[in-house]
Amino acid sequence: MGIYEELKARGLIAQVTDEEEIRQLINNGGARFYIGFDPTADSLHVGHFMALCLMKRLQMAGNRPVVLVGGGTGHIGDPSGRTDMRAMMTDEVINHNCECFKRQMERFIEFGEDKAVMVNNADWLLRLNYVELLREVGACFTVNNMLRAECYKQRMEKGLSFLEFNYMIMQAYDFWYLSEHYGCNMQFGGDDQWSNMLAGTELIRKKSGKDAYAMTITLLLNSEGKKMGKTAKGAVWLDENKTPPYDFYQYWRNVDDADVMKCIKMLTFISLEDIADMEKWDASRINEKKEILAFELTKLVHGAEKAEKARAQAKAAFGGDGENLPEKFVSAEHSTVVAVLVAAGICSSNGEARRLIAQGGVAVNEQKVSDINAPVRDGDVLHKGKKVHIRIKFN
């Protein structure tokens, strides 16, 4: 089985431009492909995770990644999959976020001579001459075709700015530039990027007469049709200072039963043969599958040692001796249960903490709490429902 067949078997491929050509290219290690990441935060998150895993799989099969960080496109809003416009960022914020992305990507991708290369589209987009762009690139696009793109249709009723309208042209220009200067022949991305990616392949064929290909990967959705990686408090980050390894582990440990095997297929590097065996397991082994998923992904992002620790903490929280429970450090001035719930990041506000207590969802040292002023002492174990169990330490 080639890498293309494996990607299909894992349910990763959504759309392709020229299937047989793409199959031959990546199966023979001939793809010089790029994936773009706009630096909208100072950390990658689970939404980027599938693209990182895809790059890793393709590089392991002999293909060469070009990682594009959008220091240029980050200056404007991308309407793809959105109904609102992104907030503008300063140059300083964009450059800082790009540097954070680089450090995190090095855990997944091997960079170096004849390996992966990282580029920043600010290096060419910010130098563009507007009139030259209109003549050389704008002439290759028709407004009618652009307005047929789903990403623009979603924005038309609320208003589509000219700034956002240019995003397709800029992304297409990226592909053309990378084709000319880095030998890129293929672009990968989420299936919400399909229209922009097609624009890039057409631009290359019209301007350079070269073959160019595009393939989108299936966006990872949960059983309710929502994007994976979201919690009540926001995104699940790959930066352990934003989402600690234990919380990252617990996120995957608590995915819906219906989504476990899909996540194992799409995100882990467990062989398809072993996955086929797992699919035959009795339904009573669902928690074992979840533990495997959580451990494999935590190991991939944070390393084996931290994954082992997160697994031990999880076991301690669910029936263990409590010695390996994750710890949260809070100021000693937060001595009541409501204050601790907020200071430890378990609840987002005092009101949420009070409601949780009133609903019977909080316990301290296995004793359910009903008094919002109940004390919490250094070393106490705080429980939120059946899934959150932490030891409180004062500093």
Side-chain angles (χ1 to χ4, degrees):
M1 179 185 293
I3 183 62
Y4 184 83
E5 288 75 22
E6 179 176 348
L7 296 178
K8 289 196 74 172
R10 289 181 180 274
L12 288 169
I13 298 177
Q15 300 175 92
V16 297
T17 53
D18 307 87
E19 184 169 37
E20 190 52 38
E21 289 84 349
I22 289 174
R23 182 198 309 275
Q24 293 294 328
L25 203 60
I26 68 174
N27 280 350
N28 293 322
R32 179 77 162 169
F33 68 95
Y34 98 88
I35 299 179
F37 300 83
D38 273 350
T40 54
D42 59 0
S43 172
L44 297 163
H45 53 70
V46 166
H48 299 116
F49 192 45
M50 186 180 294
L52 293 171
C53 291
L54 177 66
M55 283 194 292
K56 185 178 179 71
R57 293 183 202 279
L58 290 168
Q59 186 176 47
M60 290 170 63
N63 300 284
R64 296 178 63 190
V66 175
V67 181
L68 174 68
V69 290
T73 42
H75 282 77
I76 69 170
D78 173 12
S80 299
R82 299 172 59 85
T83 57
D84 59 346
M85 184 174 173
R86 284 180 180 161
M88 296 293 183
M89 297 183 294
T90 65
D91 289 348
E92 291 76 15
V93 169
I94 290 171
N95 292 334
H96 171 71
N97 292 350
C98 287
E99 287 301 315
C100 292
F101 277 23
K102 288 179 183 178
R103 290 193 296 270
Q104 291 181 332
M105 288 176 179
E106 287 172 349
R107 303 177 197 166
F108 296 85
I109 310 303
E110 191 174 358
F111 292 93
E113 188 175 353
D114 295 327
K115 295 177 182 175
V117 62
M118 182 173 289
V119 296
N120 186 332
N121 64 13
D123 294 341
W124 56 87
L125 290 181
L126 299 187
R127 298 198 307 263
L128 282 174
N129 177 288
Y130 184 63
V131 174
E132 180 183 357
L133 181 69
L134 287 177
R135 284 174 55 89
E136 299 299 322
V137 180
C140 298
F141 292 83
T142 67
V143 173
N144 288 349
N145 284 338
M146 293 175 73
L147 289 176
R148 292 190 188 102
E150 191 62 35
C151 60
Y152 289 143
K153 287 180 182 178
Q154 295 171 3
R155 293 283 287 122
M156 288 298 290
E157 290 186 7
K158 290 190 175 182
L160 177 67
S161 74
F162 184 69
L163 187 70
E164 296 170 287
F165 193 59
N166 274 267
Y167 195 94
M168 179 184 289
I169 295 176
M170 294 177 73
Q171 186 168 335
Y173 187 88
D174 280 344
F175 197 2
W176 175 82
Y177 186 94
L178 293 173
S179 171
E180 292 293 300
H181 297 272
Y182 291 88
C184 271
N185 52 20
M186 193 177 300
Q187 180 182 5
F188 290 85
D191 56 11
D192 59 340
Q193 291 284 314
W194 184 238
S195 297
N196 292 353
M197 293 166 68
L198 288 179
T201 62
E202 289 305 307
L203 181 62
I204 292 171
R205 288 166 178 170
K206 287 177 180 178
K207 280 183 62 65
S208 306
K210 298 178 181 177
D211 287 328
Y213 308 104
M215 185 173 91
T216 60
I217 54 178
T218 307
L219 295 177
L220 188 60
L221 303 174
N222 66 20
S223 55
E224 296 177 350
K226 299 175 182 178
K227 285 186 180 180
M228 288 283 189
K230 296 291 185 181
T231 69
K233 295 188 287 184
V236 176
W237 303 98
L238 305 192
D239 183 344
E240 65 179 272
N241 294 314
K242 288 176 171 287
T243 301
Y246 174 76
D247 293 344
F248 187 86
Y249 180 98
Q250 283 298 99
Y251 172 79
W252 295 108
R253 174 63 181 79
N254 292 320
V255 300
D256 290 344
D257 293 1
D259 298 320
V260 177
M261 290 310 302
K262 177 174 67 175
C263 291
I264 288 175
K265 284 182 181 179
M266 288 182 163
L267 298 176
T268 76
F269 286 78
I270 298 172
S271 71
L272 288 171
E273 292 80 5
D274 288 343
I275 289 174
D277 289 339
M278 292 174 66
E279 289 180 317
K280 300 173 184 176
W281 290 0
D282 185 84
S284 63
R285 299 180 68 181
I286 186 64
N287 286 330
E288 188 177 347
K289 292 179 182 178
K290 291 184 178 183
E291 288 168 1
I292 291 171
L293 171 67
F295 178 79
E296 290 296 323
L297 298 190
T298 307
K299 181 175 67 173
L300 187 61
V301 174
H302 296 294
E305 183 177 347
K306 291 178 181 177
E308 291 282 5
K309 182 178 180 181
R311 181 163 60 182
Q313 290 174 331
K315 289 184 180 297
F318 293 90
D321 57 16
E323 291 183 3
N324 293 308
L325 278 174
E327 297 178 342
K328 290 280 187 179
F329 286 85
V330 302
S331 173
E333 66 187 45
H334 301 297
S335 58
T336 66
V337 64
V338 168
V340 169
L341 285 167
V342 176
I346 298 171
C347 293
S348 60
S349 66
N350 289 344
E352 181 186 344
R354 293 189 188 100
R355 287 192 295 273
L356 187 64
I357 292 169
Q359 294 165 1
V362 178
V364 175
N365 298 331
E366 309 295 338
Q367 297 297 315
K368 189 164 289 188
V369 173
S370 57
D371 180 4
I372 61 173
N373 295 311
V376 177
R377 299 174 178 81
D378 184 61
D380 281 351
V381 177
L382 190 62
H383 307 268
K384 175 188 174 184
K386 296 180 179 180
K387 295 182 178 180
V388 178
H389 312 273
I390 59 173
R391 188 178 300 282
I392 300 299
K393 302 290 290 184
F394 289 153
N395 55 18

